[in-house]
Amino acid sequence: MRPVLMRRAAAAGTILALAASSAVVAVSAGSASAAEGFGGRADVSRSATTGAVTFVATEAGKPLAQPAGVTASSSPQEAARAFVGAHAADFGLGSRSTFASGRAEELPTGNTTVRLQQVLDGVEVLGGELAVQLDDANRVVSASGETLPESGTPVVGRTVVGEKQAVRSARAYVARGEGVKPSEVRSTYEGLKVFDSRILGGPVKPGAHTVHAVEVSYADHVRQQVFIDGQVGAVVASFDEIHAAKSRRVCDAGNAERQYPCESPVLTEGGSTSGHNADVVQAYTFSGATYDWFKTQFNRDSIDGRGMPLVSTVRFCPASEPCPFENAFWDGRQMTYGPGFAVADDVVAHELSHGVTERSSRLYYYYQSGAINESISDIFGELVDLATASPNDTAGDRWKLGESLPIGAIRDMANPNSFGDPASMTDSKYYAGTGDNGGVHINSGVGNKAAQLMVDGGSFNGQTVTGIGASKTAALFYEVNTGLLTSASDYQDLARGLRQACRNLTGTKGITAADCAQVDRAVKATKMDVPRRNAKDMRTCKKARFTFRDNLEKGGKKWRTQRPWFAPANPNPLRYDATYATSGTKNIWGFDRPGNWFPDSRNGKPRDYFIRTKKKVKVPKHKSSFLRFSHAYFFDNYRGRNFDGGRIEYSMNGKKWFDLYNGKYPQRIVKGSSAKLKGKRAFAGESGGYRTVVKKFPKRARGKKVFVRFRISSDATRNVYAFGWFIDDVGVGSCKAAGGKKGKNKKKRRRSLAAVRQG
């Protein structure tokens, strides 16, 4: 998919191989503590998940001293490497890590940001990047980013699954999702990487995964970066790479699938707009307006800063979708617009701004970093709109994105809730699911609201902000994007970055310390400092009585398994460390594979796999009787479409099985799957981590002895694997009345045993 403009469409993302020089620096351990090591003059923040330093901020005009051995005549890269090496322990680094020498970017302030990419055990760490900003004397102004600490991280780079099998799996995964044959998709192998959710976020099994990175593309509208686990071949994650620039070229597709890429422009730089249709004229005019805005505001020569031509195709309609194609996208090379979608200046500027981000912070289009990526495009798009005379703009359209589109506005930055988007991190509309690449369009509302408050001011969430105007706000977000954020930054990083950006710019563009106070209030109003947490676990009552309990610590003697289920998870014939427990070190694991064993050697068949209690379990004869368990799941899915899933069932005789949830599961398996549960509800997709759930037994099971089983229903597509189902701390029991009035106890039971809302 494309990184598209539409909020609810599956968004595209930008996963780019970070530029790496052959020159690397080994970082040494043993630096002083954060308080002492940074001279006591810096505000130091640490990651809540890794404990490593993620942000070093300084006051305006008070940079840190030059790193040891560095002079004003040293290169910025040398200074950045020396700084990171001196504080290796603070960043969680030791002898296993090296850093590429990094790309340097000179900022409008005269400072230079050097970006250093972490390489652990010889393998690039996705999102493991530090942005070190230095003044013209090579003194450190700030440092931000994430690194993967060596302590507790096992050696990476060892694989069982080879390159050829990984490429087959990636091709099969995308081909199945697009409904085509694997032979119809193209692939490029991009080597081994390290993927760790502590840096990148997302619903990935914790730990450092050595993955094969494969780019898979199909036709003109699919370019996926797929990461295949090097041990069992499971799809760890996949990102869209196509996003939903003054040398201008405009091609006209004429409401068909042609001129993408743009090869025969109908209008080029310096040409006359006379005689051309509105789409061609507006794409040409508004791309020029965007170029002029970035040039005037930041002296940036096009989206890459080096005069990159701004190429557009208008009136594009892909053959695989209805025409008119109601969208626009940036693919890393050019803009492409459906009919009527080039007539909105904020949309054109939005797409071009993706190109600026792609060549600066390179924010991943994934969860919070993707939401910031999208928000920055919205912000720059709307600021260009405010600075450009547009025929359809009215006072009521201020802060509405795409008000000139044929379909009307698609977001409201002043009131994100009006389009179902959150205005703060604690907003009930904050999206915590896995669709839309983790909510990149939806959750952009947080950054959008902050920008609106910074420009216009207003009262929100107990904070009263005095607006600092469009020009200053633009400067702050440009400074953040080009000089402070890294590829895996989240909203907490953006909060720290905006504050530091204001300090950096104090005394330039009219920005004052008083303005920085307003920026701080806008950040607090949108709760950017507040991390998002997983949904709360369900709890049993305080005085539960159990007839069956198993935390797996004594092995799997209470379970009968059918491969690929394993109780406990280790050891297993795949020699994969499937440890993922909520208590102790042992758990159940059900590998989600096609209907044949790994690796595939023949056509798959849809199969169901079970693990059940070895003996019958007594269900208390009470209306509060329940099954309690903790689980996390990673079932086969593609762009929000679920192909595999799991259910929980019970039986009195081991032959006839009943669904404990009576089909009322949180997700649905698509009808296009070949799994036996196709079209039905199940635990499917990804859980976003462990959940403890409690489910009451129906009347027919109360007082009976039953078998309990967990069932995976698998699609038959060859070479497509997912990590599957992890289960721990299983129990059957009931609540014991605590005394007092019967009605009061009944109310407590209802509250503690409410039906699970999500798996």
Side-chain angles (χ1 to χ4, degrees):
M1 289 277 298
R2 311 162 173 82
V4 290
L5 200 58
M6 309 284 292
R7 182 183 74 252
R8 301 300 179 192
T14 314
I15 294 295
L16 299 173
L18 297 175
S21 164
S22 59
V24 295
V25 56
V27 293
S28 58
S31 73
S33 68
E36 297 175 355
F38 296 101
R41 293 166 49 190
D43 182 9
V44 179
S45 301
R46 290 183 177 273
S47 167
T49 55
T50 67
V53 168
T54 59
F55 209 95
V56 179
T58 63
E59 292 296 327
K62 297 180 180 179
L64 301 180
Q66 295 167 344
V70 171
T71 67
S73 62
S74 301
S75 72
Q77 287 91 338
E78 290 171 334
R81 293 197 301 269
F83 173 78
V84 173
H87 299 284
D90 294 308
F91 292 112
L93 307 172
S95 59
R96 295 166 55 195
S97 291
T98 60
F99 273 83
S101 61
R103 23 181 204 106
E105 182 170 359
E106 187 172 342
L107 306 174
T109 58
N111 293 343
T112 298
T113 290
V114 178
R115 299 177 182 277
L116 301 172
Q117 171 65 49
Q118 183 186 9
V119 178
L120 179 64
D121 298 331
V123 185
E124 177 186 311
V125 178
L126 291 165
E129 184 182 2
L130 293 173
V132 182
Q133 188 171 146
L134 308 114
D135 66 11
D136 57 4
N138 279 329
R139 295 173 298 186
V140 176
V141 175
S142 67
S144 56
E146 303 241 22
T147 52
L148 186 59
E150 295 179 16
S151 177
T153 300
V155 174
V156 298
R158 300 171 181 171
T159 63
V160 173
V161 175
E163 174 185 335
K164 291 183 179 179
Q165 175 62 35
V167 171
R168 281 197 297 268
S169 292
R171 290 169 64 93
Y173 172 72
V174 174
R176 188 274 314 275
E178 296 297 326
V180 299
K181 297 178 181 179
S183 59
E184 295 181 64
V185 301
R186 303 180 301 277
S187 62
T188 302
Y189 181 70
E190 298 184 345
L192 292 179
K193 312 286 182 184
V194 179
F195 191 112
D196 196 303
S197 62
R198 289 177 293 174
I199 293 180
L200 291 166
V204 176
K205 179 179 176 288
H209 299 265
T210 299
V211 298
H212 296 275
V214 186
E215 182 183 275
V216 183
S217 56
Y218 169 67
D220 55 35
H221 62 285
V222 176
R223 197 170 89 228
Q224 288 274 122
Q225 185 84 39
V226 184
F227 300 101
I228 302 295
D229 182 79
Q231 291 298 115
V232 294
V235 177
V236 176
S238 66
F239 306 148
D240 290 313
E241 288 195 295
I242 301 178
H243 277 277
K246 178 171 176 190
S247 174
R248 291 168 285 177
R249 299 200 295 266
V250 183
C251 288
D252 186 2
N255 297 325
E257 186 180 282
R258 59 192 182 203
Q259 287 303 311
Y260 175 72
C262 174
E263 295 178 344
S264 301
V266 296
L267 182 59
T268 58
E269 185 64 38
S272 172
T273 59
S274 178
H276 292 288
N277 62 60
D279 290 67
V280 171
V281 173
Q282 299 294 50
Y284 180 84
T285 301
F286 291 148
S287 61
T290 303
Y291 176 97
D292 292 341
W293 186 82
F294 275 102
K295 183 67 174 177
T296 300
Q297 293 284 332
F298 314 115
N299 197 31
R300 188 181 186 95
D301 183 10
S302 193
I303 60 178
D304 65 348
R306 299 177 180 178
M308 178 180 180
L310 307 183
V311 183
S312 307
T313 295
V314 301
R315 299 200 300 167
F316 176 76
C317 282
S320 59
E321 300 185 38
C323 192
F325 171 59
E326 295 184 335
N327 226 318
F329 63 91
W330 162 261
D331 71 354
R333 299 164 299 174
Q334 71 164 82
M335 292 77 65
T336 303
Y337 305 95
F341 270 69
V343 301
D345 52 0
D346 49 5
V347 170
V348 174
H350 172 105
E351 299 304 334
L352 289 168
S353 296
H354 276 307
V356 175
T357 296
E358 183 178 305
R359 287 160 176 80
S360 49
S361 62
R362 295 182 175 177
L363 286 157
Y364 292 133
Y365 224 67
Y366 187 67
Y367 288 83
Q368 288 189 41
S369 59
I372 298 170
N373 186 321
E374 189 66 19
S375 178
I376 287 174
S377 278
D378 280 357
I379 292 164
F380 287 154
E382 192 59 25
L383 291 177
V384 171
D385 188 12
L386 296 179
T388 305
S390 303
N392 298 327
D393 284 354
T394 67
D397 291 330
R398 186 177 176 87
W399 299 113
K400 289 183 179 178
L401 185 72
E403 68 275 6
S404 299
L405 293 174
I407 59 172
I410 58 175
R411 284 189 282 281
D412 188 337
M413 298 170 65
N415 183 17
N417 284 176
S418 65
F419 282 82
D421 303 330
S424 75
M425 295 297 287
T426 58
D427 196 317
S428 62
K429 296 185 183 297
Y430 189 94
Y431 179 69
T434 59
D436 186 29
N437 272 15
V440 298
H441 289 89
I442 301 167
N443 296 334
S444 64
V446 178
N448 290 353
K449 180 61 180 178
Q452 181 268 324
L453 288 171
M454 289 164 61
V455 175
D456 288 348
S459 295
F460 186 65
N461 275 345
Q463 296 288 331
T464 299
V465 182
T466 301
I468 64 174
S471 180
K472 294 178 182 179
T473 300
L476 290 170
F477 276 95
Y478 186 80
E479 171 78 6
V480 164
N481 195 21
T482 58
L484 294 164
L485 296 181
T486 58
S487 55
S489 292
D490 58 22
Y491 268 119
Q492 294 175 78
D493 295 318
L494 179 59
R496 291 187 285 261
L498 285 169
R499 293 179 178 119
Q500 184 63 44
C502 198
R503 298 187 191 110
N504 294 353
L505 294 173
T506 296
T508 68
K509 295 185 177 292
I511 294 175
T512 66
D515 293 328
C516 295
Q518 305 310 314
V519 172
D520 182 65
R521 290 175 184 173
V523 167
K524 290 178 178 176
T526 51
K527 310 289 186 182
M528 280 191 203
D529 291 311
V530 179
R532 290 290 303 192
R533 294 179 174 84
N534 290 336
K536 292 182 179 179
D537 292 339
M538 297 185 68
R539 298 180 181 276
T540 49
C541 43
K542 292 183 179 180
K543 295 186 178 180
R545 293 184 296 183
F546 288 91
T547 56
F548 173 86
R549 300 185 79 171
D550 190 10
N551 61 7
L552 279 297
E553 295 307 303
K554 294 183 179 180
K557 59 184 179 181
K558 296 182 180 181
W559 299 92
R560 177 170 294 173
T561 61
Q562 178 186 35
R563 285 188 178 182
W565 282 99
F566 305 100
N570 298 315
N572 60 71
L574 295 179
R575 293 180 291 177
Y576 170 65
D577 184 2
T579 301
Y580 190 16
T582 53
S583 66
T585 59
K586 293 183 174 62
N587 57 274
I588 295 170
W589 175 43
F591 182 34
D592 181 15
R593 62 169 173 87
N596 52 341
W597 193 231
F598 170 88
D600 294 311
S601 58
R602 59 186 184 276
N603 291 333
K605 297 180 180 179
R607 291 283 300 275
D608 287 2
Y609 307 94
F610 312 97
I611 181 172
R612 71 165 175 84
T613 51
K614 187 173 291 186
K615 297 180 179 180
K616 290 184 180 180
V617 176
K618 174 72 177 199
V619 178
K621 191 176 182 180
H622 193 277
K623 65 179 64 178
S624 69
S625 62
F626 60 80
L627 172 70
R628 179 188 186 277
F629 61 98
S630 297
H631 71 154
Y633 51 84
F634 311 88
F635 290 119
D636 178 20
N637 69 92
Y638 179 80
R639 290 179 174 171
R641 300 169 62 214
N642 301 311
F643 290 88
D644 296 353
R647 283 188 166 189
I648 303 167
E649 300 166 326
Y650 66 95
S651 173
M652 272 70 89
N653 58 15
K655 296 180 180 179
K656 185 177 182 179
W657 292 87
F658 300 93
D659 179 23
L660 184 60
Y661 277 74
N662 197 28
K664 297 179 180 179
Y665 291 88
Q667 293 91 20
R668 186 183 298 276
I669 297 175
V670 297
K671 292 182 179 180
S673 169
S674 63
K676 293 183 179 180
L677 289 178
K678 63 182 178 181
K680 298 181 180 180
R681 302 193 73 85
F683 291 122
E686 294 150 337
S687 63
Y690 253 102
R691 300 282 189 272
T692 297
V693 296
V694 183
K695 186 63 179 175
K696 292 174 67 173
F697 280 97
K699 189 174 182 178
R700 73 158 64 94
R702 297 171 194 160
K704 306 289 180 61
K705 289 186 177 181
V706 304
F707 294 106
V708 175
R709 77 178 185 183
F710 297 88
R711 168 190 178 191
I712 291 177
S713 186
S714 173
D715 177 76
T717 305
R718 294 184 63 195
N719 294 309
V720 179
Y721 309 90
F723 282 116
W725 209 347
F726 299 82
I727 301 168
D728 199 6
D729 296 330
V730 183
V732 174
S734 65
C735 291
K736 180 180 180 181
K741 295 182 179 181
K742 183 177 180 180
K744 183 177 181 181
N745 291 332
K746 183 177 181 181
K747 183 177 180 180
K748 287 183 177 179
R749 287 195 298 272
R750 283 202 304 267
R751 183 167 59 247
S752 62
L753 295 170
V756 64
R757 288 175 294 177
Q758 66 180 49

